Amino acid sequence: TSTPGTPTPGTSTPTTIPVAGTMYDFAANVCSGVWFSGAGQLPCPGTDGNQKGFVLRLANPQLENGNVDPRMGLLTVPQNVFNGYIQGIFPPYHVKPGDRFRSIVNCAYGATSCYVVFRLDYQTGTGPITTYWAFVEKYDNQYYQADIDLSSLVGQDIKFILTVLATGSPTGDRALWVAPIIYNPSNAG
């Protein structure tokens, strides 16, 4: 049994049953994404404490408010430089009518100096990377449930990009995406 916030190797099978309506699960497919920081391409899964930045899949992640969530999470830590970042570029996904991006975004429990920007970016083909949604998060013992309508991208093959940016100092920036998915209510059965 996993303890809260325990890293789970990127090749293991998630132990939670997917939510009905889940079209794509970013946590389950974390290493299908290619992860980068200002230091270049990063290994997946990463190693906690890597100064170049890292991503880890977590079983039973502990939210900023202390609660444990039974769904899988992604701990994303930007490169340890001023205004550092980390981003995971996922394989193309064909956006369908009704698709939504959902995730809890917050700082990891106990990361009291965490102050980051969460971004959902995207790229079509080899075009420019565009920001679709952004949320500034500072450790405040709360979390935010993102539920983002993707209707403006319907019919396109999109590479979704999970990005976290340090707001200045990266010290203590441990950004946690919990259950990041593309959800479609028409497939919820």
Side-chain angles (χ1 to χ4, degrees):
T1 160
S2 296
T3 56
T6 302
T8 304
T11 55
S12 71
T13 304
T15 56
T16 57
I17 297 170
V19 173
T22 299
M23 305 300 292
Y24 190 83
D25 184 330
F26 292 92
N29 294 292
V30 61
C31 292
S32 295
V34 181
W35 292 86
F36 293 93
S37 73
Q41 189 170 339
L42 301 170
C44 185
T47 302
D48 199 337
N50 185 341
Q51 298 297 298
K52 294 179 179 180
F54 61 91
V55 60
L56 295 171
R57 185 167 60 193
L58 302 181
N60 305 309
Q62 191 169 14
L63 304 179
E64 193 172 316
N65 66 0
N67 292 344
V68 173
D69 194 300
R71 300 170 298 172
M72 297 299 283
L74 294 179
L75 177 64
T76 50
V77 177
Q79 182 183 10
N80 192 28
V81 296
F82 191 81
N83 290 335
Y85 74 92
I86 184 170
Q87 65 184 176
I89 303 173
F90 288 81
Y93 170 85
H94 188 77
V95 180
K96 296 157 203 64
D99 280 354
R100 304 183 72 80
F101 173 79
R102 288 185 171 176
S103 181
I104 287 177
V105 293
N106 68 154
C107 295
Y109 182 73
T112 57
S113 61
C114 175
Y115 190 21
V116 296
V117 177
F118 285 87
R119 277 194 344 213
L120 178 65
D121 297 335
Y122 73 94
Q123 183 179 35
T124 306
T126 57
I129 292 175
T130 304
T131 298
Y132 196 78
W133 170 81
F135 185 80
V136 178
E137 172 66 10
K138 187 171 186 165
Y139 195 91
D140 58 4
N141 295 310
Q142 299 180 40
Y143 61 86
Y144 179 75
Q145 175 65 61
D147 185 7
I148 312 303
D149 181 2
L150 300 175
S151 60
S152 67
L153 302 174
V154 167
Q156 299 180 62
D157 293 319
I158 298 295
K159 287 186 263 185
F160 284 104
I161 304 167
L162 300 183
T163 302
V164 170
L165 306 118
T167 56
S169 170
T171 302
D173 286 350
R174 295 175 70 84
L176 184 58
W177 308 76
V178 178
I181 61 171
I182 296 175
Y183 171 83
N184 195 307
S186 67
N187 285 12

